[in-house]
Amino acid sequence: MYDIAVIGKGLMGSAALRHLTVDFPNLRVCIIGPDEPENRKTHAGVFASHYDQGRITRVLDPSPMWGQMAQESIAQYPAIERASGIVFHHRAGCLRATDLPERIAELDACAEQFAPPHKRLDAEGCRAAHPYLRFSDDFVAWDEVGEAGYINPRQLVAAQLTAAQANGAAVIREIVAAIECKQDAVTIHTRQPPSVPPTGQGEAIRARKILLCAGGYSNTLLERKLDLRTKGHTILLAEVAPDEVARLRTMPSIISTFAHADVSSLYMLPPVPYPDGKTYIKLGLSGNTDELPAPEPFFDARHNDSELLDWFHTDGREDIAEAMKAALHRMIPGLQAVSYHSVPCLITKTAHGNPYIDSLDAGRIYVMTGGNGYAAKSSDAIGRLGAQFCATGEWPSEFAREDFHAVYSP
Ligand SMILES: Cc1cc2nc3c(=O)[nH]c(=O)nc-3n(C[C@H](O)[C@H](O)[C@H](O)COP(=O)(O)OP(=O)(O)OC[C@H]3O[C@@H](n4cnc5c(N)ncnc54)[C@H](O)[C@@H]3O)c2cc1C
């Protein structure tokens, strides 16, 4: 019997596992979750929100909570890289640009509170620092340097798992089919991922407690559903050739919020190499896409695996990809892209905008989920909170517990 079984081998779960092995070395811990599928279009199991090569990392954020989580996590990156021997952090810088007065005030407050190395630029300063980008005259930007840039989320998960395994954690590469909570323990029924030849009905694993970190799939394993707004999200990948990569070699990650009819907020990564041997600039819309002709699908609290499967078998939303393509060319005039394609992903939002980190069932079932589109860079700090709370039943004091309480679906 395990002391704690973490369910979901993603960014939050792998971080929690490593913290459990570091802070509670006497506990017997495991993580249960499948590996990334080889073929997205034919895969019939569960998916994740981190199957990608880049997630923006930076401290500056309109929310002080996310700023603090990011700062704490970023401080741990070198130790995780050392402990695992896996490099996942790329210091490309991050430019936040906006022409919205309320956003300017929030970012100024965050810059003052956390003081990451940065320059505050007007539109002329932006054009001088990043001549390949176009800014209108009303823009203000925070050019964050130092540790800002992007992380490779696949490599971060691999690094957390490698470090945790070196400390004695077990990794069980199966899908959890059901959780049965009894008085003395939790029984976890698993099935094997479809890519693995069947060897029977899957195992039953017992643990004193579980920490559920199944991202957009968390509700599929809970009888009483959480208020999780799981939403389809389309990303655009613009392939760039080596000479364009060389021209854009100083390009930072970019988050831009503006008053534009189609696109109110977008994020963009600099050219990043992908496993297919090509290099892509990746874009996503981070603001409200509901004003677009048809919004991306929304999965209510009672969704099942097969509804999510249908979404992951598409190429995302074509009209949203077109809107992003236009926005990309507005921001980088003269960009020479070789090809474009779009990919589906999933964002899991909570009722209050912070992750849910809570105890659900007489102290046996703990939950840590709801990245709200921001949790990759901050997953290590979120994982530490979840690990400490699950292991001790005591809330770590530096954050207010009520800010992370789980909200049930009405
Ligand atoms: C396109 C996109 C861009 C993003 N960009 C950024 C960014 O730039 N910066 C940033 O900080 N954040 C970003 N995010 C958000 C970030 O990726 C997520 O917040 C983060 O992945 C959430 O981590 P998680 O562990 O909750 O979920 P995941 O990483 O999705 O992990 C959940 C895990 O649960 C597993 N699972 C599901 N069901 C089961 C089951 N039944 N049994 C066992 N395991 C199961 C899955 O296999 C998966 O591995 C982005 C998200 C998307 C979709």
Side-chain angles (χ1 to χ4, degrees):
M1 172 137 85
Y2 289 98
D3 292 304
I4 298 178
V6 179
I7 296 178
K9 200 158 61 58
L11 283 158
M12 291 192 200
S14 62
L17 185 74
R18 186 182 69 85
H19 282 286
L20 285 170
T21 65
V22 171
D23 297 342
F24 306 95
N26 296 328
L27 294 183
R28 198 166 171 244
V29 294
C30 71
I31 192 163
I32 311 169
D35 287 338
E36 180 173 351
E38 276 175 20
N39 186 333
R40 173 172 66 80
K41 288 292 180 83
T42 57
H43 178 64
V46 297
F47 284 89
S49 298
H50 69 267
Y51 296 157
D52 199 358
Q53 294 297 98
R55 292 284 182 267
I56 297 176
T57 191
R58 37 82 197 174
V59 170
L60 288 175
D61 196 281
S63 146
M65 188 288 290
W66 284 108
Q68 188 173 343
M69 287 279 190
Q71 193 165 55
E72 190 187 307
S73 297
I74 290 169
Q76 293 304 314
Y77 293 171
I80 303 167
E81 288 188 335
R82 266 197 313 275
S84 62
I86 296 174
V87 174
F88 58 84
H89 179 206
H90 303 273
R91 295 171 179 81
C94 180
L95 186 77
R96 285 203 76 121
T98 187
D99 55 0
L100 299 176
E102 66 275 19
R103 189 47 54 88
I104 293 173
E106 288 165 347
L107 288 166
D108 274 338
C110 185
E112 195 181 326
Q113 183 176 355
F114 297 106
H118 73 283
K119 278 190 189 145
R120 191 182 191 280
L121 303 171
D122 59 12
E124 205 177 313
C126 285
R127 286 190 281 263
H130 305 286
Y132 41 85
L133 297 176
R134 182 160 67 196
F135 298 93
S136 73
D137 286 343
D138 298 332
F139 264 78
V140 175
W142 293 258
D143 208 355
E144 187 177 335
V145 291
E147 305 302 307
Y150 64 93
I151 51 168
N152 180 320
R154 289 182 171 119
Q155 296 296 87
L156 174 52
V157 169
Q160 298 278 27
L161 293 176
T162 300
Q165 276 183 293
N167 294 337
V171 177
I172 301 168
R173 297 170 195 280
E174 296 188 3
I175 297 175
V176 174
I179 296 162
E180 233 183 307
C181 191
K182 303 223 172 97
Q183 216 173 11
D184 59 334
V186 186
T187 303
I188 304 150
H189 299 278
T190 66
R191 60 187 164 97
Q192 285 176 337
S195 54
V196 176
T199 56
Q201 288 301 306
E203 273 181 62
I205 299 161
R206 277 164 52 82
R208 278 197 310 113
K209 296 179 187 176
I210 63 162
L211 179 57
L212 177 61
C213 315
Y217 290 78
S218 300
N219 264 337
T220 65
L221 294 171
L222 290 172
E223 235 166 80
R224 189 170 172 206
K225 307 296 180 194
L226 296 174
D227 186 351
L228 286 172
R229 297 129 199 226
T230 305
K231 194 171 181 298
H233 181 70
T234 305
I235 61 170
L236 179 73
L237 290 162
E239 181 192 350
V240 279
D243 50 348
E244 198 64 334
V245 174
R247 183 174 80 92
L248 301 173
R249 69 188 172 284
T250 58
M251 180 176 163
S253 297
I254 298 171
I255 304 172
S256 199
T257 315
F258 28 45
H260 188 277
D262 287 347
V263 171
S264 58
S265 178
L266 68 79
Y267 62 87
M268 194 187 299
L269 275 86
V272 170
Y274 273 67
D276 64 2
K278 297 176 178 173
T279 300
Y280 296 96
I281 294 177
K282 187 190 79 169
L283 266 85
L285 301 188
S286 47
N288 186 9
T289 55
D290 295 348
E291 71 269 23
L292 290 169
E296 286 155 314
F298 165 79
F299 304 95
D300 73 19
R302 279 160 192 80
H303 70 261
N304 55 37
D305 287 11
S306 73
E307 289 169 61
L308 296 178
L309 200 61
D310 289 345
W311 166 246
F312 276 107
H313 286 169
T314 70
D315 291 327
R317 284 288 309 280
E318 207 178 307
D319 53 340
I320 292 180
E322 282 302 316
M324 286 192 271
K325 193 167 150 187
L328 171 65
H329 284 273
R330 276 197 300 273
M331 286 203 69
I332 313 182
L335 175 76
Q336 299 293 316
V338 179
S339 70
Y340 303 89
H341 71 275
S342 54
V343 184
C345 196
L346 212 58
I347 302 261
T348 306
K349 296 191 179 187
T350 59
H352 46 54
N354 296 340
Y356 293 155
I357 306 176
D358 212 339
S359 158
L360 298 185
D361 196 331
R364 295 226 175 268
I365 299 184
Y366 288 75
V367 70
M368 181 170 66
T369 194
N372 292 277
Y374 302 124
K377 64 185 163 306
S378 305
S379 52
D380 193 69
I382 297 169
R384 183 181 64 76
L385 282 185
Q388 291 188 350
F389 189 37
C390 182
T392 64
E394 303 285 323
W395 182 257
S397 59
E398 72 272 33
F399 288 96
R401 180 174 175 179
E402 58 273 19
D403 289 349
F404 299 88
H405 72 274
V407 178
Y408 284 102
S409 178

